[in-house]
Amino acid sequence: MKVRRNANKLTVIVVLVLGGLLSGCSGGEDRTEAESPKLDRCKSLLGAENVEAAVKTTGGSDVEVSGTPQADVLATGLAKEAKQWQESDLLHNSYTGCRMDAFEGDQLSGTVDVSVKWSSLSLGLMDDPKNSRTWRRVNELVYVAPEPGPARMQLIAACAVPGATAAQSSGLPLQFEASGVSLGAELRWDLLRAFAQSVTEEMGCATPPVIPSVLPAAT
């Protein structure tokens, strides 16, 4: 009888241990599933291949995602600001399209971030010598700053919002930014271009800006 009681105790212990292990595994799966919709929204904004390539460059095995509202949410917030804009307004909200923080264990191994806001620079200021050293003209509605700072790339695109003042298109263009130390110039441009296209298409600009697939070469 004593041997049988010990066997029963051992069975209970094994069941408890296995239960704890399974519970731990289940918690990890739940966390992964909770993050998946945000990563999917990043992919819809920036392109699935671009996001996968960006994550790979960070060298992390675990990725935390923040921001990532859908394009229509971004467009709604931006359009509301444009309709309320006056030429004296210089400060504008910045919207995070997608931020991916990659970790290797507990150590942050890299960050990729894309954002958009209405620019404090008008198209009329682009020809100013101070700005022309940074901003490169792509076409009448688009300018790009390939390296305005370490690991950053910016793009300005004019977008006339229905219901805004006539001066808004040139006086208040959209400004997009992509940053990430691990990103090369080509991938940074791919992320920036895809993001700008997603947002401007959703904005329904009166004259859609034409954003090239390849980063324009310096002239």
Side-chain angles (χ1 to χ4, degrees):
M1 293 294 292
K2 184 175 181 181
V3 172
R4 187 173 180 177
R5 282 198 299 270
N6 289 340
N8 288 339
K9 287 181 180 179
L10 181 60
T11 300
V12 171
I13 291 170
V14 170
V15 169
L16 289 173
V17 170
L18 287 175
L21 290 174
L22 290 173
S23 175
C25 291
S26 174
E29 290 172 358
D30 289 342
R31 186 184 66 177
T32 301
E33 289 173 2
E35 291 177 353
S36 180
K38 287 188 175 183
L39 191 59
D40 287 344
R41 288 198 291 270
C42 277
K43 291 178 179 179
S44 69
L45 282 171
L46 311 176
E49 291 185 2
N50 296 334
V51 169
E52 290 165 5
V55 170
K56 186 176 181 180
T57 67
T58 62
S61 57
D62 186 27
V63 179
E64 292 184 4
V65 184
S66 57
T68 66
Q70 296 190 21
D72 59 341
V73 177
L74 287 169
T76 298
L78 290 164
K80 182 178 179 181
E81 278 193 71
K83 293 173 183 178
Q84 298 173 343
W85 174 72
Q86 297 178 358
E87 293 191 33
S88 58
D89 296 339
L90 297 177
L91 298 178
H92 311 291
N93 294 323
S94 179
Y95 300 84
T96 298
C98 176
R99 179 184 173 96
M100 296 176 286
D101 293 308
F103 293 85
E104 188 59 49
D106 293 331
Q107 298 296 316
L108 180 67
S109 62
T111 295
V112 176
D113 191 290
V114 296
S115 61
V116 59
K117 65 178 180 179
W118 291 111
S119 182
S120 59
L121 296 170
S122 68
L123 294 189
L125 291 174
M126 292 292 99
D127 293 330
D128 185 294
K130 182 176 65 175
N131 294 318
S132 62
R133 288 193 292 269
T134 301
W135 293 94
R136 182 189 305 169
R137 179 173 175 168
V138 177
N139 54 52
E140 290 184 358
L141 301 180
V142 177
Y143 290 79
V144 62
E147 295 292 339
R152 294 167 56 213
M153 184 178 288
Q154 294 177 327
L155 181 149
I156 277 181
C159 175
V161 175
T165 65
Q168 176 267 315
S169 177
S170 60
L172 187 73
L174 289 165
Q175 183 169 324
F176 300 88
E177 179 172 316
S179 63
V181 173
S182 64
L183 303 175
E186 183 177 348
L187 180 53
R188 197 175 293 125
W189 171 253
D190 287 340
L191 291 165
L192 187 64
R193 173 188 55 82
F195 182 48
Q197 286 180 332
S198 295
V199 174
T200 54
E201 286 175 6
E202 194 65 43
M203 294 285 293
C205 308
T207 302
V210 178
I211 303 169
S213 58
V214 178
L215 177 65
T219 56

